[in-house]
Each structure stands twice: as structure tokens, then as C-alpha cells.
Amino acid sequence: MTVSFSDQLLALARPNLAWVCEQLDLFDSLVPAGVVSFDRDEPSVTRSGITLRAHVVGTYALDGTWMWAWANESYRDSAIAARSLELRELGERAGVPELTEPMPDLNHFPDPRLAADHLLLMCVGLLDARGAVICAVNERGRLFMVVDDPAVPRAEPRAARLATALRNGAAMLSGPALKPVKGWFARHGVEPEYGPGRVEGALDGGDRVVVRLEGEEVTGVEVTGADGGAPRCGAGPEQRLEGARLSPGAPHRVFPRPLLGVAAREIALSVLRTRAMVRYAGEHLDFDGRPPVWDEEAGELRFPGGGLKGRRLGSYDAEAGWFLWAPGTEDVRDRFREAAGLGPADAEGLPELSGERLDLTVYGPREAVAVALARTAANVAGHTFTSLGNDFFAVTDERLSDTGPVDLDGAVTDLRGGASWLHGLVEQETRDDTMRTLARSYFERLGLQVWHYGQPDFLSGVTGLYEVRVYFAPDGTITHVEPGMLMGAGR
């Protein structure tokens, strides 16, 4: 089984990879990471309050599949999918299977999620785009966009940037390093000279770039001035956006880090408690799958065979864009603050716990914010979270105090469910810590030993001869969860 992209796609894409790395380095410096939203009709993307023309090329699901925008019912009839059609047409002309299959399966790669990232970078090169943005979609998958707005300048050579780009462009995909190096020189209008193990050429202005190669690796990059001294390309001012639209009203607020830390510790266990409630209702209250009815006067969720004591927690409207704590939830919110280590003065700047109507439109994933707040608050207070439509409840019935024995298959559901709600709330710099905290806290709360076998992309919760294994992408995203026998057991 192949663990790479097709030869046809690599032949088209490899020459572009070094200058794509260079361009994206510039793009990320001009459009810093932050909350992302997009408009399918315009079409555009807004990141950190900067709005640029952009198009969706594809989406990636947690099952390891990529879906092109031209094949996706959510996007294919909108202007935002137009450039994905160009990729399909290119694939048809050049016979590239990945560009013509509606849903390429990336599961044969060692890291399907990383393969999706690489596919986006190839799309940037094939479409001659000026940037790329990845954003969470429905809190459970990722959406990939290319930016083709002329407000983003083409990257001019800078010594440090070009050296990193040449190295990374050659290392990204298997194959000879010469291809992306030649492509980079061609991109800058330079006819290079070739020698044993090296490629070199003169940039506009006289600076000389020497790239040393060995097989599939760029082993060195030197940039010098025409006289052998410091290069001129490192002395110029940094490039700027020209004419980009600033959107101060765009989503800009991230989930506060103190509250995120509590959510990471609590949310998977909250999913477990909700599962236990459903199981109890099925075994003792004749729950048949139909949602219960809230009895306001009795303070109960009414099932066919009886009720469970509870209290209103809050409500939200994702379309209108608001979340509101129910009256009388001050004690629950106080427990949340205490778990976050916040005193009265610290909490004053947190509208998420104020009790006032919370404006969800200032966030990216609206539903995830509301659910993370309510689930975490219920669990911190020792209650079980559930919802009826857009109304949230804390089930306080003492009969639900026992979540039952450790269930490995159920643990997979809990960890995946918790991670899916937090996925869209986590900033890049805190993702690794947040997701590892989620898995580690869940295992520890259930009394499982936490092992990692010395592997940085993996940890597990161990009980007896069995374990639940959690795998992480390089950026900390949970990519896979599975139960099984303890590694080495039975051998």
C-alpha cells in the first residue's frame, strides 16, 4: 500500500513547495493567527479582523477523509467553491486521481491529518494562491481555504525566510530536493547554475543564493551580497498588506484560557455522566429514545417511567447568537470560577460567567462556546449535563452518582466527544496542553494509570491488561482514540 500521493500529483506539486512555504511564511506574518470566520457568498475569509478574498478547496473529517468543495453539498453551489473546480479540471487534464475523486481517503498515510495539511499546501501552489487558512467547522472537522486576494503581496526574497522555505519545501514530501529548489529559482525569475551537489543563482539586486543538496535533502543555504558581504535582500522593510479590509465586528474573542483549562479537565467526564444518565433512564425509567419533558413545577425531567430531579442551567440561540445562564445559577458559576482559580476581581472581566446575556457572535464556533460553558459548569458542580433543544439542564438526582464500571468502548466515546467540543475553541499555542489535559484528567478521574511508552504523540489509560490509547497530531489535536490490550500483553 502506498504511503504517498500519486506520482501525477507529486510531479505537478513538488516544484511549487519551496515558494509556497515562503509565501505562507509572509502571509502568516501579515495575517496573524486568530479567530476565523468565512462568507460563502462573497466569498471571503476573516482572520484576526482582516477580511480577504478566499475560497474553500476542501474539508477534512476525523475519519481520515478529505472532501473537495466541488463535491460537498454545503459548498458546491456557492461561489466559495469556485477554485476547487479549477483543481478538478486540472486533475482531469493531467490524470491526477486525488484531484478528481470526490473524497480521497488519506488513511493510508501514517498521519492522515498531516497529509490533509500537505494537500492544502499543494493546492496553494497549483492555484498560485497567496495564502492559506484552516478553520474548525462544526467543531468536528477542519475546513481548508486558499487566499487569492491581491491585498496580500507576493513574497520577496528575505535571507532567513528563503533559507527556511527551501529546506522545508524539499523535506515536505518524498522525492528529489532539486525539484522544489529549481521551482523556487524559477518563481523568482532566476536561471540557476548547477554544480556538484549545489544550485546557485543571482537575485535582482545582485544577492547570490547557494543551495547545497544531497538526495532528498537541502543540506545548506547561503545568501550573500554581490560583493560577498551581507545580502541586500535582508535589509529591506517588511512587506505589508495593501488594501485589505479590516472587520472590527468579525468574530474576535477566544474562549478564556482560565475557563478552557477547567473545560479540558471536566468535559470528557461530563460526556461520561450524560451517557450514564441515558443508561439509567433506559434501565429504570422506560426511556425509549424519545426526549424527556421538563416539568417546571416539579423540577424534573419526565420519562415514561418516572422523573429525574434537575434544574435549569441556561439556554442559547446559535442563529441569533446568544447564550444566557438561567436565574438562580450563581452557585454553579461560582464553582466554575473557583475551579479556574479566579477571585472576584479576576472574574469581573469574564462575560462568560457574568449572568448577563452572552454575545456568541464575537466567537468563532458559537454552539461549542455555549455547550462548553454549560457542560463544564454542571460537571464542576457535581451534576449531570443534558439538553432539550436549545435549553440546558443540570440533572441533580442522587441516583446518578454512580457512573458504573470503566467501559473502554465508552471511554472512546467520551474522549472523542469531549475533544470535538473543544476542538474549535483552542488556540494553536494552547492546543497540545489542552488536549493532553483532557485525556490525562479523564483517565486519572477514573482511576486509570496514565502511560505514554516514551512516545510524544501518544498516551493511554491503563486498567489491568487493557488500555485506551489516545493519539495526537504534532499540534496537539487528538486524531484517534482506540481501546485494546495493553501494548505487549499476551505476546
Side-chain angles (χ1 to χ4, degrees), residues 156-176:
E156 298 172 354
R158 297 288 187 273
R161 178 181 294 149
L162 72 86
T164 300
L166 285 162
R167 290 178 182 274
N168 291 346
M172 188 183 306
L173 299 172
S174 60

Side-chain angles (χ1 to χ4, degrees), residues 61-295:
L62 294 180
D63 63 0
T65 56
W66 170 286
M67 178 180 286
W68 292 107
W70 55 260
N72 192 321
E73 291 183 2
S74 299
Y75 307 111
R76 65 186 179 195
D77 294 327
S78 62
I80 206 164
R83 303 222 65 184
S84 73
L85 289 169
E86 295 179 36
L87 292 168
R88 185 178 68 178
E89 293 168 0
L90 175 61
E92 290 171 346
R93 291 195 303 270
V96 181
E98 292 93 339
L99 300 181
T100 55
E101 296 171 6
M103 292 181 62
D105 188 349
L106 304 180
N107 282 295
H108 59 280
F109 287 89
D111 186 343
R113 191 174 182 277
L114 181 61
D117 291 347
H118 288 166
L119 190 53
L120 172 63
L121 300 190
M122 288 189 275
C123 291
V124 171
L126 295 175
L127 293 173
D128 193 29
R130 301 185 181 217
V133 174
I134 303 174
C135 62
V137 56
N138 298 327
E139 294 79 58
R140 292 170 177 82
R142 299 194 302 160
L143 179 142
F144 296 80
M145 304 184 74
V146 295
V147 175
D148 51 12
D149 196 309
V152 180
R154 296 293 187 191
E156 298 172 354
R158 297 288 187 273
R161 178 181 294 149
L162 72 86
T164 300
L166 285 162
R167 290 178 182 274
N168 291 346
M172 188 183 306
L173 299 172
S174 60
L178 182 59
K179 291 288 187 182
V181 172
K182 288 178 64 177
W184 183 88
F185 277 109
R187 183 71 184 181
H188 291 287
V190 176
E191 184 64 38
E193 304 165 12
Y194 301 92
R198 78 176 193 279
V199 182
E200 56 185 292
L203 302 174
D204 285 345
D207 289 342
R208 194 157 193 85
V209 179
V210 179
V211 184
R212 302 192 183 281
L213 311 171
E214 186 175 329
E216 296 190 2
E217 184 180 358
V218 170
T219 58
V221 180
E222 301 171 10
V223 187
T224 58
D227 58 358
R232 293 179 58 188
C233 67
E238 185 55 282
Q239 296 173 263
R240 296 183 176 185
L241 294 172
E242 298 290 344
R245 190 170 85 231
L246 300 182
S247 304
H252 60 274
R253 184 170 175 82
V254 297
F255 201 78
R257 290 191 182 182
L259 305 187
L260 181 63
V262 183
R265 298 194 299 269
E266 302 289 338
I267 199 162
L269 194 65
S270 171
V271 177
L272 167 60
R273 280 181 162 158
T274 301
R275 283 198 306 107
M277 181 200 74
V278 173
R279 183 177 63 247
Y280 181 90
E283 294 173 352
H284 302 283
L285 303 177
D286 300 328
F287 177 50
D288 58 4
R290 289 175 292 180
V293 176
W294 174 247
D295 186 330

